[in-house]
């Protein structure tokens, strides 16, 4: 399950693990994980669907930032669609079959990869627009955003194909069915998982983080030297979207790194406190797909106005809406 995200503590075949009592940890995981995953799924689907409705009905989609945000929302929704399946998996075992194991693993990673790439692209776009003052015709910008989005989806699909190919079912010593990334050779299984983890950590965490830190450092310096107040609003929104994404994922990567070295050094084998922290940090990481609706609610003035207008349109009589529209036009 969730390959680089998860070393299956509940179902490992390593006999050394059973020297420690981890029954309480397993009970905690079988309750906490499904509840947190289902909560993230409901919040993400509801919040992101609201943003899509508002953008479709009220916002002009013909802007580079909106095109990237639309694609980011689709990435988050794809990611969250896999969570109910993982919730059931944690509650019992994998019951959906071999093909669904491959499809859900593929959807999970497709959502994750595309999210990271779109966040990085949004940052680079702001960097080029502000630091290098690249301004082209509107239709060229829209064409560039559409083309860049298609490239990212293609790269994300290509990067997630191995997850589809190598994910599959296997049976553990307790005869539970697992959905995991499998190696061609069983004796290389743990090495394969370690390589996979480092590959994901470097390519989809450290490298984007370094690029984003560099870009925003230059953006901040440029804004402080000039009066780009209009662009600053867009930069602030993109900055907080990116910041919260990495704040959600950083604890997970830190705790996984600690677990990795604990396993290598065979240190604190019976200390379950790190395992509890792993469950909690992973759920926090997955909360990233709920971030966009929250930021739009607190930072997006136009979004709040459009959302309240749509709610009133559904709840109030037509005459009242027409009067409000007329008063808004007169005040403008």
């Amino acid at each position: 399950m969730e390959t680089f995200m998860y070393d299956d503590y509940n179902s490992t075949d390593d006999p050394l693990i059973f020297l420690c009592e981890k029954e309480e940890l397993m009970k905690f995981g079988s309750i906490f994980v499904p509840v947190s995953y289902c909560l993230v799924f409901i919040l993400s689907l509801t919040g992101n669907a609201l943003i899509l409705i508002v953008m479709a009905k009220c916002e002009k989609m013909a802007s580079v930032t909106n095109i990237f945000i639309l694609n980011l929302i689709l990435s988050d929704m794809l990611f969250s669609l896999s969570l109910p399946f993982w919730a059931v998996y944690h509650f019992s075992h994998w019951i959906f079959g071999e093909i669904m194991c491959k499809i859900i693993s593929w959807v999970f990673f497709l959502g994750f990869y595309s999210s990271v790439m779109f966040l990085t692209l949004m940052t680079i776009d702001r960097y080029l627009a502000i630091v290098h003052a690249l301004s082209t015709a509107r239709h060229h910008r829209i064409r560039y955003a559409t083309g860049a989005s298609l490239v990212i989806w293609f790269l994300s699909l290509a990067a997630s194909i191995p997850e589809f190919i190598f994910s599959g079912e296997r049976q553990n010593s307790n005869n539970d069915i697992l959905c995991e990334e499998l190696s061609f050779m069983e004796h290389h299984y743990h090495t394969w998982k370690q390589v996979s983890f480092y590959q994901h950590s470097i390519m989809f965490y450290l490298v984007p983080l370094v690029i984003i830190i560099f870009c925003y450092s230059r953006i901040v310096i440029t804004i402080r030297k000039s009066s780009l107040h209009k662009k600053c609003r867009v930069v602030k929104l993109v900055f907080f979207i990116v910041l919260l994404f990495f704040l959600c994922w950083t604890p997970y990567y830190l705790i996984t790194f600690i677990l990795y070295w604990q396993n290598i050094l065979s240190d604190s084998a019976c200390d379950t406190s790190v395992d509890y922290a792993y469950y909690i940090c992973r759920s926090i990481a997955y909360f990233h797909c709920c971030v966009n609706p929250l930021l739009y609610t607190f930072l997006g003035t136009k979004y709040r106005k459009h959302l309240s207008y749509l709610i009133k349109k559904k709840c109030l009589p037509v005459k009242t809406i027409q009067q409000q529209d007329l008063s808004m036009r007169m005040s403008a």
Side-chain angles (χ1 to χ4, degrees):
M1 173 200 170
E2 303 150 75
T3 319
F4 80 99
M5 312 289 175
Y6 184 64
D7 290 325
D8 204 334
Y9 301 116
N10 297 352
S11 51
T12 181
D13 292 329
D14 189 346
L16 293 175
I17 296 295
F18 294 102
L19 295 174
C20 299
E21 287 293 330
K22 290 200 174 185
E23 286 185 13
E24 289 300 318
L25 175 68
M26 292 178 192
K27 287 179 183 176
F28 173 78
S30 65
I31 295 169
F32 174 76
V33 172
V35 170
S36 62
Y37 281 16
C38 288
L39 182 63
V40 169
F41 169 73
I42 292 166
L43 290 174
S44 174
L45 217 61
T46 307
N48 284 304
L50 273 175
I51 295 177
L52 284 178
I53 291 167
V54 170
M55 291 180 82
K57 288 186 174 291
C58 302
E59 273 287 346
K60 290 180 180 177
M61 286 305 301
S63 76
V64 173
T65 304
N66 276 350
I67 289 170
F68 289 153
I69 286 175
L70 172 64
N71 282 281
L72 185 60
I73 288 167
L74 294 175
S75 299
D76 289 342
M77 291 180 80
L78 262 179
F79 181 91
S80 60
L81 282 173
S82 68
L83 294 182
F85 294 90
W86 299 135
V88 173
Y89 179 40
H90 270 280
F91 188 72
S92 56
H93 57 93
W94 188 258
I95 61 173
F96 303 105
E98 177 91 12
I99 295 299
M100 283 302 290
C101 172
K102 290 178 175 294
I103 291 171
I104 296 304
S105 299
W106 172 67
V107 167
F108 176 90
F109 281 97
L110 177 61
F112 174 75
Y113 293 155
S114 54
S115 290
V116 176
M117 289 186 190
F118 277 114
L119 288 167
T120 309
L121 180 62
M122 287 165 70
T123 304
I124 293 170
D125 174 68
R126 291 297 89 202
Y127 166 77
L128 293 174
I130 292 173
V131 177
H132 295 285
L134 292 182
S135 59
T136 55
R138 184 184 178 85
H139 64 279
H140 287 306
R141 293 268 296 159
I142 300 303
R143 196 182 302 168
Y144 138 75
T146 307
S149 299
L150 289 173
V151 168
I152 282 185
W153 281 115
F154 174 78
L155 291 174
S156 302
L157 282 166
S160 57
I161 284 172
E163 314 302 338
F164 180 86
I165 294 170
F166 295 121
S167 293
E169 290 183 338
R170 76 176 181 92
Q171 214 169 23
N172 70 352
S173 56
N174 296 328
N175 293 322
D176 291 327
I177 303 297
L178 311 179
C179 173
E180 290 189 341
E181 184 177 358
L182 307 174
S183 174
F184 285 120
M185 303 178 193
E186 285 298 318
H187 59 282
H188 288 154
Y189 176 71
H190 292 291
T191 305
W192 175 265
K193 292 197 82 170
Q194 289 167 10
V195 170
S196 179
F197 168 71
Y198 276 111
Q199 185 180 13
H200 288 96
S201 301
I202 293 168
M203 294 302 297
F204 293 98
Y205 179 75
L206 288 178
V207 171
L209 185 60
V210 169
I211 292 171
I212 286 163
I213 288 172
F214 169 78
C215 288
Y216 272 107
S217 300
R218 295 292 307 277
I219 287 169
V220 169
I221 292 168
T222 305
I223 287 175
R224 290 186 68 178
K225 289 180 179 178
S226 59
S227 55
L228 299 170
H229 301 299
K230 189 176 180 181
K231 289 184 179 179
C232 195
R233 289 199 301 271
V234 178
V235 169
K236 186 163 64 171
L237 179 62
V238 174
F239 171 76
F240 279 107
I241 289 172
V242 172
L243 176 66
L244 284 179
F245 178 89
F246 282 100
L247 284 178
C248 287
W249 277 102
T250 298
Y252 164 78
Y253 278 105
L254 289 174
I255 204 73
T256 312
F257 189 73
I258 292 168
L259 278 168
Y260 171 72
W261 281 104
Q262 268 194 4
N263 291 334
I264 288 179
L265 301 173
S266 299
D267 186 30
S268 304
C270 294
D271 182 11
T272 58
S273 58
V274 180
D275 295 333
Y276 280 106
Y278 175 86
Y279 280 125
I280 294 165
C281 289
R282 187 177 57 184
S283 294
I284 292 170
Y286 293 1
F287 187 74
H288 84 269
C289 55
C290 309
V291 161
N292 290 336
L294 291 173
L295 285 175
Y296 266 82
T297 303
F298 290 107
L299 294 179
T301 309
K302 286 170 69 178
Y303 170 76
R304 284 201 306 272
K305 285 180 181 176
H306 292 321
L307 182 60
S308 63
Y309 173 77
L310 288 176
I311 292 170
K312 287 173 184 176
K313 195 174 180 180
K314 289 289 182 185
C315 299
L316 295 177
V318 177
K319 284 185 178 179
T320 310
I321 298 295
Q322 289 173 345
Q323 288 172 0
Q324 288 182 352
D325 286 345
L326 184 60
S327 62
M328 284 173 68
R329 290 194 198 107
M330 288 176 67
S331 62

